[in-house]
Amino acid sequence: MSKASDFIDALRRIETDGNVEPMAALFGPDAELSNPAITRPLHGQDGARNFWRSYRHTFSEVRSEFRCVVESECASFLEWTSRGTLSHGAAFSYDGVSVIEHPAGVITRFKSYFDPKALGLQLEHAA
């Protein structure tokens, strides 16, 4: 399987049952994870666990759909839309792109790009 497929499969596990371990196993010990919503990158497999637990706990239900996946030997680019419901039952939807660097077969860098203001407004309206 490709790294992008491995990543998407692991994300499905997080979104359906909250299991972050398959995702954490994809990351190397010095990996860096970041997105516009966190102030400092997280690192390594423990950082991956924390990152993905936080992602999953933000939503009551969430499902990501991938429109475009581009992959090379060293990196993958995934364009996505995530939809679901927040803890109060309000629906949300936001779009983004994730860049995954995996030059040695493990993820060394993960960065998501999305408009945090658009997601933040949806979170505020639900509160």
Side-chain angles (χ1 to χ4, degrees):
M1 283 179 66
S2 73
K3 278 297 160 196
S5 294
D6 292 344
F7 178 87
I8 291 168
D9 289 346
L11 183 62
R12 295 269 184 261
R13 295 282 307 272
I14 293 168
E15 292 179 342
T16 57
D17 64 21
N19 184 357
V20 299
E21 290 307 316
M23 181 67 83
L26 298 176
F27 285 81
D30 298 321
E32 179 178 293
L33 299 89
S34 62
N35 71 26
I38 61 176
T39 57
R40 281 185 253 179
L42 299 171
H43 295 93
Q45 289 186 337
D46 285 339
R49 285 182 189 94
N50 291 334
F51 182 95
W52 293 107
R53 277 189 196 115
S54 177
Y55 164 80
R56 183 59 188 95
H57 290 315
T58 301
F59 313 110
S60 176
E61 295 178 4
V62 61
R63 176 75 175 184
S64 298
E65 298 171 13
F66 296 88
R67 283 186 302 283
C68 183
V69 176
V70 177
E71 186 167 37
S72 74
E73 291 181 16
C74 296
S76 301
F77 301 86
L78 298 88
E79 182 184 11
W80 47 264
T81 298
S82 292
R83 294 182 176 89
T85 56
L86 301 170
S87 60
H88 300 291
F92 75 90
S93 175
Y94 72 114
D95 301 312
V97 173
S98 294
V99 178
I100 304 167
E101 296 176 19
H102 46 78
V106 296
I107 297 173
T108 58
R109 184 170 177 264
F110 169 85
K111 179 128 182 151
S112 274
Y113 299 90
F114 59 88
D115 181 356
K117 184 177 177 184
L119 180 59
L121 289 173
Q122 292 179 68
L123 293 170
E124 283 178 22
H125 290 309

